[in-house]
Amino acid sequence: MARKKIIAGNWKMNMTPSEAVALVETLKPLVQNEDVDVVFGVPAIDIVPVVEACKGTNIAVAAENMYFEESGAYTGEISPKMLVDAGVKYVILGHSERRDYFKETDADVNKKVLKAIEHGITPIMCCGESLEQREQGITMDFIRQQVKIGLQNVTADQAKKMVIAYEPIWAIGTGKTATSEQAEEVCKGIRQCIAEIYDDATAAEIRIQYGGSVNAGNAAELFAMEDIDGGLVGGASLKPDFGKIVCYNK
Ligand code: PEP
C-alpha cells in the first residue's frame, strides 16, 4: 500500500487570530492537492477561528502542543478533550523547540502521544539530532532513543496511524536543509527502528516526514525519496510558497 504524503505547516508562535484567518483565506486555494493530506499546525488561540475558516476544505488543523492530563489544576495548559471539541485532528508533539526551551523529555512526549491517541488525535511526533550529535556520529543512536521512548506502550495498530517528523535541529529555521540523501538515510533508519519495535507491516504504514528549511525549491526532491512521506514546514508555511510545497508534484 502506497503511503499518502502528509504536508503540515508549523506556524509556531506567529499569527494573531485575525491574521490567522486571513492567512487561511490566502492559502486555501493554493493547497489543493488530492495526493496529499494537508495540515495547518497553529497556535492554541488560533485553533477555533482556523477550524472555522477551514470548514469545507481539504485542510485539517493541528495543535502545536497538548497536555497529557484530562483536566484540572494545570494553569495555562490545554487538554486533549478541548482540542477534540474544537475540531483538531492532529497534534505536533516533542518539537525540538519544546524540548529545548520548555524542557520536554522523551517520557513527557510519550505520555502526550498516548493521551492524544486515546482521544483520537493523530500525533505528529518529532525527533532529530543536534549538529553536535551529528558530528559525534551518534545521530541514529539519539533518534532511536527518542523514537523508542516516545512510542512506549503504543500498540502496532496505533503506531501505524501515527506520523513521525524527522527534524534535524541544525536545519530548523536556519535555511540549511539536510540533503535529500541525509534526510532519506535517517528516515529509513527510523523506519527500520519501527520494524524492530513492531513489525514490517507497521514500518511500511507509518508516515515519516522530513522537516528543516523545506521550501518551494527543495520540496519535490525531498518528497521523492522512498522513506520521506511529506514534510513539517515552519517558515515557509506562513507564505503563499506553502501552496507550491503542497503541490510539489503538480
Ligand atoms: C519546524 O518548525 O518544524 C521547521 C521545520 O521549521 P523551518 O521549516 O522554518 O526550518
Side-chain angles (χ1 to χ4, degrees):
M1 192 186 68
R3 291 181 296 271
K4 190 173 182 186
K5 300 279 189 219
I6 175 162
I7 300 178
N10 173 16
W11 290 7
K12 312 195 188 201
M13 197 175 74
N14 294 297
M15 299 288 131
T16 64
S18 52
E19 288 168 346
V21 171
L23 181 60
V24 171
E25 294 306 329
T26 303
L27 291 178
K28 249 189 221 178
L30 307 178
V31 296
Q32 304 293 320
N33 185 352
E34 65 286 353
D35 303 328
V36 171
D37 285 335
V38 181
V39 182
F40 287 3
V42 308
I45 197 164
D46 297 338
I47 287 172
V48 170
V50 167
V51 167
E52 187 58 34
C54 291
K55 277 200 178 129
T57 74
N58 60 325
I59 304 162
V61 177
E64 297 177 12
N65 183 32
M66 184 202 87
Y67 200 50
F68 50 74
E69 296 290 351
E70 298 285 338
S71 63
Y74 305 101
T75 303
E77 292 295 324
I78 297 196
S79 79
K81 254 168 72 180
M82 294 170 185
L83 295 182
V84 170
D85 190 63
V88 163
K89 302 289 182 214
Y90 296 85
V91 60
I92 300 168
L93 295 175
H95 191 281
S96 60
E97 287 153 15
R98 295 214 55 85
R99 293 176 187 264
D100 185 12
Y101 304 137
F102 305 102
K103 305 298 165 224
E104 280 190 19
T105 65
D106 291 329
D108 295 330
V109 174
N110 177 240
K111 285 187 204 164
K112 293 182 179 192
V113 164
L114 290 167
K115 250 309 157 203
I117 291 170
E118 188 185 319
H119 285 267
I121 306 171
T122 301
I124 299 177
M125 187 180 86
C126 303
C127 59
E129 83 288 3
S130 65
L131 187 58
E132 195 184 7
Q133 289 162 334
R134 176 158 280 265
E135 286 171 353
Q136 288 169 340
I138 58 168
T139 295
M140 241 15 260
D141 303 283
F142 182 71
I143 290 172
R144 283 169 63 86
Q145 175 168 320
Q146 287 184 317
V147 170
K148 284 189 169 181
I149 299 175
L151 292 178
Q152 259 167 17
N153 299 316
V154 174
T155 68
D157 282 342
Q158 291 168 338
K160 279 177 188 164
K161 300 191 192 84
M162 278 184 60
V163 180
I164 294 183
Y166 165 53
E167 298 209 303
I169 296 168
W170 48 273
I172 297 178
T174 58
K176 210 170 157 186
T177 320
T179 63
S180 44
E181 289 77 21
Q182 283 173 324
E184 167 63 15
E185 185 184 15
V186 178
C187 290
K188 188 185 274 306
I190 293 171
R191 208 174 293 286
Q192 276 161 4
C193 179
I194 301 295
E196 286 165 31
I197 304 170
Y198 302 104
D199 48 41
D200 288 347
T202 308
E205 216 169 300
I206 195 166
R207 292 188 288 181
I208 304 176
Q209 298 173 313
Y210 166 77
S213 300
V214 173
N215 59 45
N218 59 28
E221 189 184 328
L222 286 160
F223 302 163
M225 303 309 281
E226 192 182 336
D227 289 288
I228 301 179
D229 305 316
L232 183 55
V233 183
S237 69
L238 297 166
K239 303 179 201 154
D241 253 18
F242 191 59
K244 295 192 186 131
I245 296 172
V246 168
C247 298
Y248 73 97
N249 61 339
K250 299 293 175 193

